[in-house]
């Protein structure tokens, strides 16, 4: 079973920031948080991952709570192309076996 | 560069038939993974290869499913005596085992298998 919980769906307006939450209350000190997204009819695509500190890359930012029991994926300016299912996954550094939940379906309104 | 390639993109077969699904990983990626995804759900782990050997096949649902990677590059997922419940999208991913990208899995577009 997935170790993370996410809302089933979220809506946002185009060109506005989006904050996608994830709870991972059973996380241990060496577990990473990964985010992937899956556009319709495509394979999943890596977005970002982190351990303790907040992380930024060209796609998004990852804000990790101080107690590490939750995190938020931030899309700074959503476009219609960001409409996808976003998966938050908890795994150890050496754990190749990602355990996926159902993810959050992000709907972007023009 | 070229990403992960999966062929065929769609496969329709009849119940009881044998099918092979192929995955070409990113060149140089030592790790290769197979997942299965049903409609509305996240991917479900099937098997993981490190090089030529299956390091973990605990996700294979039963002995009708088998996968090989004889030269440490291309992998084939084989399903014998297909059942209607095998219908799903089969995803392949690869990743390097070292370097900055070692925690990242790169996915192909998948093979949609339909068992009639």
């Amino acid at each position: 079973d997935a170790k993370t919980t996410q809302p089933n769906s979220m809506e946002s307006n185009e060109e506005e920031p989006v904050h996608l939450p994830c709870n991972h209350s059973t996380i241990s000190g060496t577990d990473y948080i990964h985010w992937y997204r899956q556009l319709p009819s495509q394979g999943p695509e890596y977005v970002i991952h982190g351990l303790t500190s907040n992380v930024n890359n060209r796609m998004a930012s990852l804000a990790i709570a101080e107690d590490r029991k939750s995190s938020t994926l931030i899309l700074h300016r959503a476009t219609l192309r960001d409409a996808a299912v976003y998966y938050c996954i908890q795994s150890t550094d050496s754990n190749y076996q990602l355990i996926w939940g159902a993810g959050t379906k992000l709907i972007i309104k023009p | 560069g070229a990403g992960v390639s999966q062929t065929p993109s769609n496969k329709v077969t009849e119940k009881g038939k044998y099918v092979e699904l192929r995955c070409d990983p990113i060149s140089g990626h030592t790790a290769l993974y197979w997942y299965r995804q049903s409609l509305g759900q996240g991917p479900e782990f099937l098997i993981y290869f490190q090089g030529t050997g299956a390091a973990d096949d605990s996700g294979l649902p039963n002995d009708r499913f088998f996968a090989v990677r004889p030269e440490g590059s291309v992998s084939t997922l084989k399903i014998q005596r297909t059942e209607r419940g095998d219908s799903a999208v089969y995803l392949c991913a690869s990743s390097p085992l070292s370097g900055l990208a070692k925690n990242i899995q790169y996915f192909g577009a998948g093979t949609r298998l339909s068992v009639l």
Side-chain angles (χ1 to χ4, degrees), chain A residues 32 34 36 38 42-44 46 49 87 93 96-98 100-102, chain B residues 33 35 37 41-43 45 48 56 58 102-105 107-109:
Chain A
Y32 283 78
H34 304 257
Y36 284 76
Q38 189 171 22
Q42 295 187 27
Y46 168 80
H49 77 282
Y87 297 95
D93 183 37
Y96 46 85
Q97 190 184 123
L98 300 181
W100 304 63
Chain B
Y33 317 79
Y35 293 84
Q37 187 173 27
Q41 298 181 22
F45 170 81
Y48 160 64
D56 183 351
S58 64
K102 72 170 185 170
N103 285 313
I104 299 172
Q105 294 186 21
F107 284 81

PDB file of all heavy atoms in Angstrom, chain A residues 32 34 36 38 42-44 46 49 87 93 96-98 100-102, chain B residues 33 35 37 41-43 45 48 56 58 102-105 107-109:
ATOM      1  N   TYR A  32      13.183   9.465   1.150  1.00  0.00           N
ATOM      2  CA  TYR A  32      13.043  10.589   0.233  1.00  0.00           C
ATOM      3  C   TYR A  32      11.574  10.784  -0.148  1.00  0.00           C
ATOM      4  O   TYR A  32      10.767   9.855  -0.062  1.00  0.00           O
ATOM      5  CB  TYR A  32      13.836  10.343  -1.049  1.00  0.00           C
ATOM      6  CG  TYR A  32      15.314  10.554  -0.921  1.00  0.00           C
ATOM      7  CD1 TYR A  32      16.124   9.588  -0.331  1.00  0.00           C
ATOM      8  CD2 TYR A  32      15.914  11.716  -1.383  1.00  0.00           C
ATOM      9  CE1 TYR A  32      17.493   9.777  -0.207  1.00  0.00           C
ATOM     10  CE2 TYR A  32      17.277  11.915  -1.274  1.00  0.00           C
ATOM     11  CZ  TYR A  32      18.053  10.947  -0.684  1.00  0.00           C
ATOM     12  OH  TYR A  32      19.408  11.140  -0.564  1.00  0.00           O
ATOM     13  N   HIS A  34       9.496  11.791  -3.481  1.00  0.00           N
ATOM     14  CA  HIS A  34       9.582  11.950  -4.927  1.00  0.00           C
ATOM     15  C   HIS A  34       8.244  12.439  -5.454  1.00  0.00           C
ATOM     16  O   HIS A  34       7.188  12.014  -4.972  1.00  0.00           O
ATOM     17  CB  HIS A  34       9.864  10.609  -5.616  1.00  0.00           C
ATOM     18  CG  HIS A  34      11.086   9.913  -5.142  1.00  0.00           C
ATOM     19  ND1 HIS A  34      12.262   9.889  -5.852  1.00  0.00           N
ATOM     20  CD2 HIS A  34      11.322   9.187  -4.031  1.00  0.00           C
ATOM     21  CE1 HIS A  34      13.164   9.188  -5.196  1.00  0.00           C
ATOM     22  NE2 HIS A  34      12.625   8.746  -4.087  1.00  0.00           N
ATOM     23  N   TYR A  36       6.261  12.621  -9.209  1.00  0.00           N
ATOM     24  CA  TYR A  36       6.188  12.348 -10.633  1.00  0.00           C
ATOM     25  C   TYR A  36       4.839  12.864 -11.117  1.00  0.00           C
ATOM     26  O   TYR A  36       3.903  13.006 -10.337  1.00  0.00           O
ATOM     27  CB  TYR A  36       6.274  10.847 -10.925  1.00  0.00           C
ATOM     28  CG  TYR A  36       7.658  10.259 -10.817  1.00  0.00           C
ATOM     29  CD1 TYR A  36       8.239  10.016  -9.577  1.00  0.00           C
ATOM     30  CD2 TYR A  36       8.396   9.945 -11.964  1.00  0.00           C
ATOM     31  CE1 TYR A  36       9.520   9.489  -9.475  1.00  0.00           C
ATOM     32  CE2 TYR A  36       9.679   9.409 -11.881  1.00  0.00           C
ATOM     33  CZ  TYR A  36      10.227   9.179 -10.626  1.00  0.00           C
ATOM     34  OH  TYR A  36      11.490   8.658 -10.533  1.00  0.00           O
ATOM     35  N   GLN A  38       1.950  12.433 -14.553  1.00  0.00           N
ATOM     36  CA  GLN A  38       1.594  11.631 -15.719  1.00  0.00           C
ATOM     37  C   GLN A  38       0.551  12.374 -16.528  1.00  0.00           C
ATOM     38  O   GLN A  38      -0.588  12.551 -16.076  1.00  0.00           O
ATOM     39  CB  GLN A  38       1.075  10.255 -15.293  1.00  0.00           C
ATOM     40  CG  GLN A  38       0.891   9.293 -16.448  1.00  0.00           C
ATOM     41  CD  GLN A  38       0.595   7.879 -15.970  1.00  0.00           C
ATOM     42  OE1 GLN A  38       0.133   7.666 -14.846  1.00  0.00           O
ATOM     43  NE2 GLN A  38       0.871   6.897 -16.817  1.00  0.00           N
ATOM     44  N   GLN A  42       0.454   9.135 -21.494  1.00  0.00           N
ATOM     45  CA  GLN A  42       1.911   9.108 -21.457  1.00  0.00           C
ATOM     46  C   GLN A  42       2.394   8.358 -20.221  1.00  0.00           C
ATOM     47  O   GLN A  42       1.624   8.126 -19.283  1.00  0.00           O
ATOM     48  CB  GLN A  42       2.483  10.529 -21.452  1.00  0.00           C
ATOM     49  CG  GLN A  42       2.196  11.308 -22.722  1.00  0.00           C
ATOM     50  CD  GLN A  42       2.927  12.638 -22.741  1.00  0.00           C
ATOM     51  OE1 GLN A  42       3.970  12.787 -22.120  1.00  0.00           O
ATOM     52  NE2 GLN A  42       2.387  13.610 -23.457  1.00  0.00           N
ATOM     53  N   GLY A  43       3.664   7.996 -20.226  1.00  0.00           N
ATOM     54  CA  GLY A  43       4.258   7.416 -19.039  1.00  0.00           C
ATOM     55  C   GLY A  43       4.545   8.495 -18.011  1.00  0.00           C
ATOM     56  O   GLY A  43       4.590   9.679 -18.331  1.00  0.00           O
ATOM     57  N   PRO A  44       4.731   8.093 -16.749  1.00  0.00           N
ATOM     58  CA  PRO A  44       5.058   9.092 -15.722  1.00  0.00           C
ATOM     59  C   PRO A  44       6.351   9.829 -16.035  1.00  0.00           C
ATOM     60  O   PRO A  44       7.248   9.302 -16.697  1.00  0.00           O
ATOM     61  CB  PRO A  44       5.208   8.242 -14.453  1.00  0.00           C
ATOM     62  CG  PRO A  44       4.393   7.018 -14.712  1.00  0.00           C
ATOM     63  CD  PRO A  44       4.555   6.764 -16.180  1.00  0.00           C
ATOM     64  N   TYR A  46       9.375  12.323 -14.183  1.00  0.00           N
ATOM     65  CA  TYR A  46       9.954  12.825 -12.944  1.00  0.00           C
ATOM     66  C   TYR A  46       9.759  14.334 -12.839  1.00  0.00           C
ATOM     67  O   TYR A  46       9.917  15.069 -13.827  1.00  0.00           O
ATOM     68  CB  TYR A  46      11.443  12.500 -12.909  1.00  0.00           C
ATOM     69  CG  TYR A  46      12.226  13.201 -11.825  1.00  0.00           C
ATOM     70  CD1 TYR A  46      12.210  12.728 -10.514  1.00  0.00           C
ATOM     71  CD2 TYR A  46      12.972  14.332 -12.112  1.00  0.00           C
ATOM     72  CE1 TYR A  46      12.934  13.370  -9.516  1.00  0.00           C
ATOM     73  CE2 TYR A  46      13.702  14.978 -11.120  1.00  0.00           C
ATOM     74  CZ  TYR A  46      13.672  14.493  -9.826  1.00  0.00           C
ATOM     75  OH  TYR A  46      14.386  15.130  -8.843  1.00  0.00           O
ATOM     76  N   HIS A  49      12.549  15.684  -6.375  1.00  0.00           N
ATOM     77  CA  HIS A  49      12.605  14.880  -5.165  1.00  0.00           C
ATOM     78  C   HIS A  49      13.459  15.597  -4.125  1.00  0.00           C
ATOM     79  O   HIS A  49      14.279  16.461  -4.478  1.00  0.00           O
ATOM     80  CB  HIS A  49      13.113  13.459  -5.424  1.00  0.00           C
ATOM     81  CG  HIS A  49      14.594  13.342  -5.622  1.00  0.00           C
ATOM     82  ND1 HIS A  49      15.209  13.688  -6.813  1.00  0.00           N
ATOM     83  CD2 HIS A  49      15.582  12.907  -4.814  1.00  0.00           C
ATOM     84  CE1 HIS A  49      16.502  13.460  -6.716  1.00  0.00           C
ATOM     85  NE2 HIS A  49      16.768  12.995  -5.515  1.00  0.00           N
ATOM     86  N   TYR A  87       1.848  12.404  -8.636  1.00  0.00           N
ATOM     87  CA  TYR A  87       2.070  11.356  -7.647  1.00  0.00           C
ATOM     88  C   TYR A  87       3.161  11.772  -6.667  1.00  0.00           C
ATOM     89  O   TYR A  87       4.246  12.203  -7.086  1.00  0.00           O
ATOM     90  CB  TYR A  87       2.500  10.053  -8.310  1.00  0.00           C
ATOM     91  CG  TYR A  87       1.487   9.431  -9.232  1.00  0.00           C
ATOM     92  CD1 TYR A  87       1.515   9.666 -10.595  1.00  0.00           C
ATOM     93  CD2 TYR A  87       0.504   8.589  -8.726  1.00  0.00           C
ATOM     94  CE1 TYR A  87       0.593   9.084 -11.447  1.00  0.00           C
ATOM     95  CE2 TYR A  87      -0.428   7.994  -9.562  1.00  0.00           C
ATOM     96  CZ  TYR A  87      -0.372   8.249 -10.924  1.00  0.00           C
ATOM     97  OH  TYR A  87      -1.301   7.660 -11.761  1.00  0.00           O
ATOM     98  N   ASP A  93      16.548   5.686   0.034  1.00  0.00           N
ATOM     99  CA  ASP A  93      17.541   5.965  -1.002  1.00  0.00           C
ATOM    100  C   ASP A  93      17.847   4.735  -1.832  1.00  0.00           C
ATOM    101  O   ASP A  93      18.049   4.813  -3.022  1.00  0.00           O
ATOM    102  CB  ASP A  93      18.820   6.492  -0.345  1.00  0.00           C
ATOM    103  CG  ASP A  93      19.869   6.861  -1.373  1.00  0.00           C
ATOM    104  OD1 ASP A  93      19.499   7.373  -2.441  1.00  0.00           O
ATOM    105  OD2 ASP A  93      21.060   6.636  -1.109  1.00  0.00           O
ATOM    106  N   TYR A  96      14.506   0.901  -4.805  1.00  0.00           N
ATOM    107  CA  TYR A  96      14.163   1.114  -6.193  1.00  0.00           C
ATOM    108  C   TYR A  96      12.663   0.952  -6.428  1.00  0.00           C
ATOM    109  O   TYR A  96      12.116   1.386  -7.407  1.00  0.00           O
ATOM    110  CB  TYR A  96      14.907   0.070  -7.034  1.00  0.00           C
ATOM    111  CG  TYR A  96      14.779  -1.287  -6.398  1.00  0.00           C
ATOM    112  CD1 TYR A  96      13.673  -2.082  -6.638  1.00  0.00           C
ATOM    113  CD2 TYR A  96      15.728  -1.730  -5.484  1.00  0.00           C
ATOM    114  CE1 TYR A  96      13.516  -3.292  -6.008  1.00  0.00           C
ATOM    115  CE2 TYR A  96      15.568  -2.953  -4.852  1.00  0.00           C
ATOM    116  CZ  TYR A  96      14.477  -3.733  -5.120  1.00  0.00           C
ATOM    117  OH  TYR A  96      14.332  -4.930  -4.488  1.00  0.00           O
ATOM    118  N   GLN A  97      12.001   0.239  -5.490  1.00  0.00           N
ATOM    119  CA  GLN A  97      10.607  -0.124  -5.707  1.00  0.00           C
ATOM    120  C   GLN A  97       9.713   1.007  -5.240  1.00  0.00           C
ATOM    121  O   GLN A  97       9.404   1.120  -4.052  1.00  0.00           O
ATOM    122  CB  GLN A  97      10.280  -1.410  -4.953  1.00  0.00           C
ATOM    123  CG  GLN A  97       8.933  -1.983  -5.312  1.00  0.00           C
ATOM    124  CD  GLN A  97       8.583  -3.200  -4.473  1.00  0.00           C
ATOM    125  OE1 GLN A  97       7.571  -3.217  -3.826  1.00  0.00           O
ATOM    126  NE2 GLN A  97       9.417  -4.216  -4.473  1.00  0.00           N
ATOM    127  N   LEU A  98       9.312   1.871  -6.162  1.00  0.00           N
ATOM    128  CA  LEU A  98       8.416   2.961  -5.814  1.00  0.00           C
ATOM    129  C   LEU A  98       7.003   2.416  -5.624  1.00  0.00           C
ATOM    130  O   LEU A  98       6.510   1.665  -6.455  1.00  0.00           O
ATOM    131  CB  LEU A  98       8.427   4.019  -6.918  1.00  0.00           C
ATOM    132  CG  LEU A  98       9.784   4.666  -7.214  1.00  0.00           C
ATOM    133  CD1 LEU A  98       9.636   5.712  -8.324  1.00  0.00           C
ATOM    134  CD2 LEU A  98      10.379   5.298  -5.967  1.00  0.00           C
ATOM    135  N   TRP A 100       3.274   3.441  -5.546  1.00  0.00           N
ATOM    136  CA  TRP A 100       2.468   4.550  -6.043  1.00  0.00           C
ATOM    137  C   TRP A 100       1.055   4.491  -5.475  1.00  0.00           C
ATOM    138  O   TRP A 100       0.459   3.427  -5.410  1.00  0.00           O
ATOM    139  CB  TRP A 100       2.379   4.510  -7.567  1.00  0.00           C
ATOM    140  CG  TRP A 100       3.680   4.507  -8.281  1.00  0.00           C
ATOM    141  CD1 TRP A 100       4.646   3.544  -8.223  1.00  0.00           C
ATOM    142  CD2 TRP A 100       4.177   5.506  -9.167  1.00  0.00           C
ATOM    143  NE1 TRP A 100       5.699   3.887  -9.025  1.00  0.00           N
ATOM    144  CE2 TRP A 100       5.446   5.076  -9.618  1.00  0.00           C
ATOM    145  CE3 TRP A 100       3.666   6.718  -9.637  1.00  0.00           C
ATOM    146  CZ2 TRP A 100       6.206   5.828 -10.507  1.00  0.00           C
ATOM    147  CZ3 TRP A 100       4.422   7.469 -10.521  1.00  0.00           C
ATOM    148  CH2 TRP A 100       5.686   7.019 -10.948  1.00  0.00           C
ATOM    149  N   GLY A 101       0.525   5.620  -5.118  1.00  0.00           N
ATOM    150  CA  GLY A 101      -0.894   5.742  -4.792  1.00  0.00           C
ATOM    151  C   GLY A 101      -1.663   6.124  -6.047  1.00  0.00           C
ATOM    152  O   GLY A 101      -1.166   5.932  -7.156  1.00  0.00           O
ATOM    153  N   ALA A 102      -2.844   6.674  -5.852  1.00  0.00           N
ATOM    154  CA  ALA A 102      -3.687   7.064  -6.986  1.00  0.00           C
ATOM    155  C   ALA A 102      -3.379   8.471  -7.478  1.00  0.00           C
ATOM    156  O   ALA A 102      -3.832   8.865  -8.542  1.00  0.00           O
ATOM    157  CB  ALA A 102      -5.164   6.952  -6.621  1.00  0.00           C
TER     158      ALA A 102
ATOM    159  N   TYR B  33      13.025  -1.311 -14.851  1.00  0.00           N
ATOM    160  CA  TYR B  33      11.841  -1.661 -14.061  1.00  0.00           C
ATOM    161  C   TYR B  33      10.658  -1.892 -15.000  1.00  0.00           C
ATOM    162  O   TYR B  33      10.511  -1.209 -16.011  1.00  0.00           O
ATOM    163  CB  TYR B  33      11.459  -0.508 -13.125  1.00  0.00           C
ATOM    164  CG  TYR B  33      12.608   0.165 -12.419  1.00  0.00           C
ATOM    165  CD1 TYR B  33      13.402   1.102 -13.068  1.00  0.00           C
ATOM    166  CD2 TYR B  33      12.882  -0.103 -11.076  1.00  0.00           C
ATOM    167  CE1 TYR B  33      14.453   1.737 -12.421  1.00  0.00           C
ATOM    168  CE2 TYR B  33      13.924   0.538 -10.417  1.00  0.00           C
ATOM    169  CZ  TYR B  33      14.706   1.452 -11.103  1.00  0.00           C
ATOM    170  OH  TYR B  33      15.745   2.083 -10.448  1.00  0.00           O
ATOM    171  N   TYR B  35       6.408  -1.995 -14.697  1.00  0.00           N
ATOM    172  CA  TYR B  35       5.230  -1.700 -13.897  1.00  0.00           C
ATOM    173  C   TYR B  35       3.991  -2.050 -14.717  1.00  0.00           C
ATOM    174  O   TYR B  35       4.026  -2.109 -15.943  1.00  0.00           O
ATOM    175  CB  TYR B  35       5.147  -0.213 -13.538  1.00  0.00           C
ATOM    176  CG  TYR B  35       6.212   0.311 -12.610  1.00  0.00           C
ATOM    177  CD1 TYR B  35       7.455   0.719 -13.096  1.00  0.00           C
ATOM    178  CD2 TYR B  35       5.978   0.438 -11.240  1.00  0.00           C
ATOM    179  CE1 TYR B  35       8.430   1.221 -12.243  1.00  0.00           C
ATOM    180  CE2 TYR B  35       6.942   0.954 -10.384  1.00  0.00           C
ATOM    181  CZ  TYR B  35       8.157   1.338 -10.899  1.00  0.00           C
ATOM    182  OH  TYR B  35       9.122   1.852 -10.054  1.00  0.00           O
ATOM    183  N   GLN B  37      -0.133  -0.731 -15.000  1.00  0.00           N
ATOM    184  CA  GLN B  37      -1.042   0.323 -14.555  1.00  0.00           C
ATOM    185  C   GLN B  37      -2.450   0.066 -15.073  1.00  0.00           C
ATOM    186  O   GLN B  37      -2.670  -0.004 -16.279  1.00  0.00           O
ATOM    187  CB  GLN B  37      -0.561   1.698 -15.028  1.00  0.00           C
ATOM    188  CG  GLN B  37      -1.364   2.851 -14.469  1.00  0.00           C
ATOM    189  CD  GLN B  37      -0.761   4.208 -14.804  1.00  0.00           C
ATOM    190  OE1 GLN B  37      -0.075   4.366 -15.808  1.00  0.00           O
ATOM    191  NE2 GLN B  37      -1.015   5.196 -13.947  1.00  0.00           N
ATOM    192  N   GLN B  41      -5.519   4.133 -11.617  1.00  0.00           N
ATOM    193  CA  GLN B  41      -4.618   3.779 -10.516  1.00  0.00           C
ATOM    194  C   GLN B  41      -3.177   4.152 -10.858  1.00  0.00           C
ATOM    195  O   GLN B  41      -2.830   4.357 -12.014  1.00  0.00           O
ATOM    196  CB  GLN B  41      -4.700   2.276 -10.239  1.00  0.00           C
ATOM    197  CG  GLN B  41      -6.079   1.824  -9.806  1.00  0.00           C
ATOM    198  CD  GLN B  41      -6.108   0.334  -9.511  1.00  0.00           C
ATOM    199  OE1 GLN B  41      -5.077  -0.274  -9.233  1.00  0.00           O
ATOM    200  NE2 GLN B  41      -7.289  -0.239  -9.546  1.00  0.00           N
ATOM    201  N   GLY B  42      -2.358   4.215  -9.831  1.00  0.00           N
ATOM    202  CA  GLY B  42      -0.939   4.440 -10.053  1.00  0.00           C
ATOM    203  C   GLY B  42      -0.275   3.164 -10.540  1.00  0.00           C
ATOM    204  O   GLY B  42      -0.836   2.075 -10.441  1.00  0.00           O
ATOM    205  N   PRO B  43       0.938   3.280 -11.069  1.00  0.00           N
ATOM    206  CA  PRO B  43       1.660   2.094 -11.526  1.00  0.00           C
ATOM    207  C   PRO B  43       1.921   1.117 -10.379  1.00  0.00           C
ATOM    208  O   PRO B  43       2.160   1.532  -9.244  1.00  0.00           O
ATOM    209  CB  PRO B  43       2.970   2.671 -12.066  1.00  0.00           C
ATOM    210  CG  PRO B  43       2.651   4.087 -12.419  1.00  0.00           C
ATOM    211  CD  PRO B  43       1.652   4.527 -11.395  1.00  0.00           C
ATOM    212  N   PHE B  45       4.390  -2.013  -9.218  1.00  0.00           N
ATOM    213  CA  PHE B  45       5.700  -2.614  -9.486  1.00  0.00           C
ATOM    214  C   PHE B  45       5.574  -4.091  -9.848  1.00  0.00           C
ATOM    215  O   PHE B  45       4.837  -4.841  -9.216  1.00  0.00           O
ATOM    216  CB  PHE B  45       6.583  -2.465  -8.243  1.00  0.00           C
ATOM    217  CG  PHE B  45       7.872  -3.242  -8.293  1.00  0.00           C
ATOM    218  CD1 PHE B  45       8.961  -2.745  -8.976  1.00  0.00           C
ATOM    219  CD2 PHE B  45       7.986  -4.466  -7.648  1.00  0.00           C
ATOM    220  CE1 PHE B  45      10.148  -3.449  -9.013  1.00  0.00           C
ATOM    221  CE2 PHE B  45       9.171  -5.177  -7.679  1.00  0.00           C
ATOM    222  CZ  PHE B  45      10.254  -4.668  -8.365  1.00  0.00           C
ATOM    223  N   TYR B  48      12.362  -5.739 -11.177  1.00  0.00           N
ATOM    224  CA  TYR B  48      13.484  -4.812 -11.259  1.00  0.00           C
ATOM    225  C   TYR B  48      14.731  -5.579 -11.672  1.00  0.00           C
ATOM    226  O   TYR B  48      15.043  -6.629 -11.098  1.00  0.00           O
ATOM    227  CB  TYR B  48      13.668  -4.152  -9.897  1.00  0.00           C
ATOM    228  CG  TYR B  48      15.016  -3.526  -9.628  1.00  0.00           C
ATOM    229  CD1 TYR B  48      15.472  -2.450 -10.383  1.00  0.00           C
ATOM    230  CD2 TYR B  48      15.826  -4.000  -8.593  1.00  0.00           C
ATOM    231  CE1 TYR B  48      16.696  -1.868 -10.112  1.00  0.00           C
ATOM    232  CE2 TYR B  48      17.052  -3.419  -8.320  1.00  0.00           C
ATOM    233  CZ  TYR B  48      17.477  -2.355  -9.072  1.00  0.00           C
ATOM    234  OH  TYR B  48      18.701  -1.773  -8.805  1.00  0.00           O
ATOM    235  N   ASP B  56      14.780  -8.222  -8.200  1.00  0.00           N
ATOM    236  CA  ASP B  56      13.560  -8.335  -7.418  1.00  0.00           C
ATOM    237  C   ASP B  56      12.403  -8.585  -8.370  1.00  0.00           C
ATOM    238  O   ASP B  56      12.086  -7.726  -9.173  1.00  0.00           O
ATOM    239  CB  ASP B  56      13.318  -7.055  -6.617  1.00  0.00           C
ATOM    240  CG  ASP B  56      12.090  -7.126  -5.705  1.00  0.00           C
ATOM    241  OD1 ASP B  56      11.315  -8.104  -5.819  1.00  0.00           O
ATOM    242  OD2 ASP B  56      11.909  -6.204  -4.902  1.00  0.00           O
ATOM    243  N   SER B  58       9.411  -9.719  -7.087  1.00  0.00           N
ATOM    244  CA  SER B  58       8.325  -9.962  -6.131  1.00  0.00           C
ATOM    245  C   SER B  58       6.981  -9.425  -6.579  1.00  0.00           C
ATOM    246  O   SER B  58       5.945  -9.816  -6.052  1.00  0.00           O
ATOM    247  CB  SER B  58       8.693  -9.377  -4.769  1.00  0.00           C
ATOM    248  OG  SER B  58       8.814  -7.967  -4.854  1.00  0.00           O
ATOM    249  N   LYS B 102      20.572   9.173 -10.001  1.00  0.00           N
ATOM    250  CA  LYS B 102      20.373   7.771  -9.605  1.00  0.00           C
ATOM    251  C   LYS B 102      19.026   7.522  -8.949  1.00  0.00           C
ATOM    252  O   LYS B 102      18.572   6.402  -8.874  1.00  0.00           O
ATOM    253  CB  LYS B 102      21.497   7.318  -8.673  1.00  0.00           C
ATOM    254  CG  LYS B 102      21.438   7.898  -7.275  1.00  0.00           C
ATOM    255  CD  LYS B 102      22.442   7.207  -6.382  1.00  0.00           C
ATOM    256  CE  LYS B 102      22.314   7.702  -4.954  1.00  0.00           C
ATOM    257  NZ  LYS B 102      23.090   6.890  -4.023  1.00  0.00           N
ATOM    258  N   ASN B 103      18.384   8.547  -8.418  1.00  0.00           N
ATOM    259  CA  ASN B 103      17.074   8.366  -7.795  1.00  0.00           C
ATOM    260  C   ASN B 103      15.931   8.590  -8.764  1.00  0.00           C
ATOM    261  O   ASN B 103      14.774   8.562  -8.369  1.00  0.00           O
ATOM    262  CB  ASN B 103      16.918   9.329  -6.619  1.00  0.00           C
ATOM    263  CG  ASN B 103      17.706   8.883  -5.412  1.00  0.00           C
ATOM    264  OD1 ASN B 103      17.655   7.726  -5.021  1.00  0.00           O
ATOM    265  ND2 ASN B 103      18.453   9.794  -4.829  1.00  0.00           N
ATOM    266  N   ILE B 104      16.237   8.847 -10.018  1.00  0.00           N
ATOM    267  CA  ILE B 104      15.196   9.202 -10.981  1.00  0.00           C
ATOM    268  C   ILE B 104      14.928   8.031 -11.924  1.00  0.00           C
ATOM    269  O   ILE B 104      15.843   7.444 -12.482  1.00  0.00           O
ATOM    270  CB  ILE B 104      15.632  10.426 -11.802  1.00  0.00           C
ATOM    271  CG1 ILE B 104      15.851  11.627 -10.876  1.00  0.00           C
ATOM    272  CG2 ILE B 104      14.591  10.749 -12.873  1.00  0.00           C
ATOM    273  CD1 ILE B 104      16.471  12.820 -11.573  1.00  0.00           C
ATOM    274  N   GLN B 105      13.649   7.704 -12.076  1.00  0.00           N
ATOM    275  CA  GLN B 105      13.246   6.688 -13.040  1.00  0.00           C
ATOM    276  C   GLN B 105      12.665   7.384 -14.270  1.00  0.00           C
ATOM    277  O   GLN B 105      11.808   8.257 -14.147  1.00  0.00           O
ATOM    278  CB  GLN B 105      12.221   5.731 -12.424  1.00  0.00           C
ATOM    279  CG  GLN B 105      12.821   4.904 -11.292  1.00  0.00           C
ATOM    280  CD  GLN B 105      11.881   3.844 -10.761  1.00  0.00           C
ATOM    281  OE1 GLN B 105      10.931   3.438 -11.426  1.00  0.00           O
ATOM    282  NE2 GLN B 105      12.162   3.353  -9.551  1.00  0.00           N
ATOM    283  N   PHE B 107      10.576   6.934 -17.689  1.00  0.00           N
ATOM    284  CA  PHE B 107       9.556   6.014 -18.170  1.00  0.00           C
ATOM    285  C   PHE B 107       9.367   6.097 -19.677  1.00  0.00           C
ATOM    286  O   PHE B 107       9.496   7.171 -20.283  1.00  0.00           O
ATOM    287  CB  PHE B 107       8.212   6.314 -17.503  1.00  0.00           C
ATOM    288  CG  PHE B 107       8.114   5.832 -16.092  1.00  0.00           C
ATOM    289  CD1 PHE B 107       8.655   6.557 -15.046  1.00  0.00           C
ATOM    290  CD2 PHE B 107       7.482   4.628 -15.803  1.00  0.00           C
ATOM    291  CE1 PHE B 107       8.572   6.100 -13.734  1.00  0.00           C
ATOM    292  CE2 PHE B 107       7.389   4.168 -14.497  1.00  0.00           C
ATOM    293  CZ  PHE B 107       7.941   4.904 -13.473  1.00  0.00           C
ATOM    294  N   GLY B 108       8.990   4.957 -20.249  1.00  0.00           N
ATOM    295  CA  GLY B 108       8.493   4.938 -21.600  1.00  0.00           C
ATOM    296  C   GLY B 108       7.006   5.278 -21.622  1.00  0.00           C
ATOM    297  O   GLY B 108       6.385   5.481 -20.568  1.00  0.00           O
ATOM    298  N   ALA B 109       6.444   5.318 -22.814  1.00  0.00           N
ATOM    299  CA  ALA B 109       5.028   5.677 -22.960  1.00  0.00           C
ATOM    300  C   ALA B 109       4.107   4.501 -22.661  1.00  0.00           C
ATOM    301  O   ALA B 109       2.901   4.682 -22.507  1.00  0.00           O
ATOM    302  CB  ALA B 109       4.758   6.205 -24.365  1.00  0.00           C
TER     303      ALA B 109
END
